[in-house]
Amino acid sequence: MPQEIALLKTHTCGELNRRRVGNRVTLAGWVDRRRDHGGLIFVDLRDRSGIVQVVFNPQVAKVVHDLATELRSEFVVRVSGEVALRPKGTENPKLPTGEIEVIAGEITILNRSKTPPFYINEEVEVEENLRLKYRYLDLRRPAMQQRIILRHRIVKFIRDFFNAEGFLEIETPILIKSTPEGARDYLVPSRVYPGKFYALPQSPQQLKQLLMVAGFEKYFQIARCFRDEDTRADRQPEFTQIDLEMSFVEAEDITNLVERLMISLAKTVRPDMKLVEPFPRLTYAEAMERFGSDKPDFRFGLEIRDISDIAAASKFGVFCSAVSDGGKVKGICAPGCGAYTRGQLEELNRLAQSLGAGGLVTIALGSAPGDLGDLQMEMVKSVAARYLTIEQVKAIAQKMNARMGDLMLIVAGKGNLVDEVLGELRLHMGRQLKLIDPNSLSFAFVLDFPLVERDKKTGGWKPVVHPFTMPKEEDLPLLESAPDRVRSKSYDIVCNGYEIGGGSIRIHTRDLQKRVFAARGYIDEDIEELFGHMLEAFEYGAPPHGGIALGLDRLIMLLAGAETIREVIAFPKNQNAADLTFNAPSPVTWEQLDELHLKLHDEYHPVPEDR
RNA sequence: GGCCCCGUGGUGUAGCGGUCUAACAUAACGCCCUGUCACGGCGUAGAUCAGGGGUUCAAAUCCCCUCGGGGUCGCCA
């Protein structure tokens, strides 16, 4: 048997073009579409590389043509024939292979197909649970193939990048120890140790720090992480992080490295998208003040401005009392919205109230453009109008960069709440006014997060990043007296309003690590039990180190222009953390449970088999 | 756990108290067709309108409950 017949195909569909004219080729793939003219039959043959038209002509091969009448969508076939230029005037400029076609001389039906439950060959929105149940068919659709291929290219790029930077990719265990902090763990019962459990890693955080203690200096990993928490469009129970850690570095070393990675990656896989560089860097405090969010969307302006000083001097009770109670008065300017109707304004007010604000004060600066200098009090529409002077209105407008015809949205109250509400209003207006360029990637770094914050459940302090985060030296004196005012050497990278990564410089000495735990109310015994392995490691020459973890799924989602991370994960879980392809999770047998020394509540327990 | 949205032939939609014996497109099936490419023409079949209960003379349509799906808040160190 000749060597070349060992393969079912000699060429891919998408690679054929006029240079192959005259070649005899063998293709294999799926029937994308069939156009049966009674005499001639055209079949669009699809494989991973693309689509090519195959012509079945009864005058060329009667038997082959007869077989082709049986073809239906998604049949798997192997076709041999000659590549030919299409007759003049029948070229299809919409197809990359549209100049040529394959004149079929042989065909083998390798496998038939039932009519698929949804279209493979058309870009139609299909109910997601149906797509997930038949994920292998969903993944056959060209748009999904492109996203998965993009994912591959991104991961390949990242591995090459870190390799070139001198990083080592090191795997870490999936079965580790449950930690008391952070998200809920996925637990794995131990057969060997009755009553004991492994946990799946929420991230390789402690392991990568130990790799630094071990002296590897530059580590990275494409790491699977598990968190048993509710899902979102950008969150599911298992996800992938680009995890990295470096020794002998400061925060800027990490952020600069990540910035170089993101820029080169984005330019490589999405050269068509707009990128602003260098990436803006702002502190957490600044991000909250200006954008009301720790993950600001930089694709549009509408920044939050503080007008507390003007408000305090006014005769408007809501404003004055907010400031005298230690709060703030801040606002954003919605350009060109001065003519908003009562209904539209009420909708904004309801939104503000649903976010926890007492209310929303709007000031419309007339309903048409013009020079702010000409603004008259009669043109100002606001509940606050009769308590404000025209000078005060103009001063507020000036502070917000507002012009005639604009609408100012103002919230008064406690500082944090005011920022958060305005942050949401800002996003709402940005979307409503279509200020967001969908073709841009706006990265930024948010720095110096607080070390700890109040835990709403326990009332104690909990880390904002994680318990190994290094406090800023200048804030250390506050660690015991006012821990929430201690800033950390931490940094998030955000893009288009998504947090796509976060990291920090770590504590690397036993004494400071113990002090941080103690400041959060841990007693010595607990510290030893829960984190003793880390503290001990720090006693054996742990180098200063730090790192970051990047959410690979979110990053790919943004680079793919997808709405959810499920669109860039081959086999994702649905919102209820279920795998609809396999129907996981599923019950297990009594024997399996028994072997693991487990007993379930009666209503869930399978009956022992006595067959 | 809270709130919002969705569930109609295989798929995607329309219908939102009576004209629904449920419409349209596409897919499917049959016949015709030698230059189509979302091929075309003719015909056939296919839905107890997610499930249950209620209101009404009358429910796909209004109300309640359940189930399933999506979004979001909480949650996610």
Side-chain angles (χ1 to χ4, degrees), chain A residues 537-556:
Chain A
F538 293 160
E539 294 182 295
Y540 291 96
H545 60 284
I548 193 167
L550 304 164
L552 181 65
D553 308 289
R554 285 182 194 170
L555 179 63
I556 298 169

Side-chain angles (χ1 to χ4, degrees), chain A residues 474-540:
Chain A
E474 61 264 42
D475 294 345
L476 271 178
L478 297 167
L479 192 55
E480 285 77 18
S481 56
D484 56 325
R485 287 176 52 204
V486 176
R487 293 164 301 161
S488 61
K489 291 189 179 179
S490 55
Y491 32 84
D492 274 5
I493 178 168
V494 301
C495 181
N496 294 0
Y498 288 91
E499 178 198 328
I500 59 163
S504 61
I505 298 300
R506 327 296 184 188
I507 298 168
H508 64 280
T509 60
R510 181 188 171 99
D511 289 350
L512 183 56
Q513 185 68 69
K514 277 199 80 168
R515 199 178 148 198
V516 167
F517 278 127
R520 292 183 36 215
Y522 273 103
I523 58 169
D524 284 1
E525 272 175 20
D526 289 348
I527 298 172
E528 279 305 326
E529 162 66 21
L530 300 169
F531 302 105
H533 55 285
M534 294 297 288
L535 293 174
E536 189 177 18
F538 293 160
E539 294 182 295
Y540 291 96

Side-chain angles (χ1 to χ4, degrees), chain A residues 108-322:
Chain A
T108 312
I109 296 177
L110 298 170
N111 208 348
R112 292 165 181 271
S113 172
K114 299 209 297 191
T115 302
F118 50 83
Y119 297 105
I120 311 293
N121 54 11
E122 279 182 37
E123 287 295 314
V124 179
E125 291 258 335
V126 181
E127 215 183 317
E128 201 176 3
N129 52 340
L130 191 68
R131 294 175 56 196
L132 292 175
K133 182 176 174 191
Y134 297 98
R135 189 58 158 183
Y136 45 91
L137 295 179
D138 189 34
L139 289 168
R140 202 131 97 188
R141 301 158 90 198
M144 285 305 290
Q145 297 234 324
Q146 287 316 305
R147 282 193 279 269
I148 298 299
I149 290 167
L150 175 70
R151 185 176 183 121
H152 162 80
R153 292 177 57 212
I154 290 169
V155 171
K156 174 72 164 64
F157 186 95
I158 289 165
R159 286 209 159 94
D160 290 345
F161 178 90
F162 282 116
N163 179 62
E165 294 279 340
F167 282 73
L168 300 172
E169 182 166 10
I170 305 174
E171 290 170 88
T172 52
I174 293 296
L175 296 177
I176 57 167
K177 182 187 166 83
S178 180
T179 50
E181 311 224 359
R184 275 184 281 265
D185 284 322
Y186 277 98
L187 296 178
V188 179
S190 165
R191 173 182 59 83
V192 182
Y193 299 96
K196 294 187 176 176
F197 294 81
Y198 302 96
L200 306 185
Q202 296 177 18
S203 81
Q205 181 59 39
Q206 297 184 37
L207 294 155
K208 67 176 175 179
Q209 288 191 241
L210 295 178
L211 287 171
M212 293 302 103
V213 179
F216 285 109
E217 298 197 32
K218 292 179 175 182
Y219 143 93
F220 88 104
Q221 185 184 189
I222 309 294
R224 192 63 62 85
C225 306
F226 306 87
R227 294 176 193 174
D228 187 3
E229 296 292 343
D230 288 351
T231 62
R232 287 287 183 279
D234 62 350
R235 262 164 40 190
Q236 68 149 28
E238 63 178 308
F239 59 99
T240 307
Q241 284 185 346
I242 307 161
D243 194 45
L244 70 102
E245 195 80 3
M246 299 175 79
S247 296
F248 311 112
V249 289
E250 285 293 349
E252 303 80 66
D253 298 306
I254 303 288
T255 53
N256 289 344
L257 175 81
V258 170
E259 179 169 12
R260 281 195 289 116
L261 168 63
M262 290 299 149
I263 290 172
S264 53
L265 173 64
K267 284 185 173 171
T268 301
V269 302
R270 289 306 300 264
D272 55 312
M273 290 184 91
K274 278 178 234 146
L275 197 60
V276 178
E277 48 181 306
F279 298 169
R281 285 160 167 76
L282 66 172
T283 65
Y284 168 83
E286 205 181 339
M288 294 307 295
E289 285 278 345
R290 289 170 54 196
F291 301 97
S293 167
D294 61 358
K295 43 179 196 284
D297 192 335
F298 278 84
R299 288 175 297 178
F300 62 100
L302 263 49
E303 279 191 34
I304 301 169
R305 298 297 162 87
D306 194 331
I307 55 164
S308 298
D309 50 346
I310 307 168
S314 77
K315 297 213 158 40
F316 189 42
V318 176
F319 284 1
C320 308
S321 60

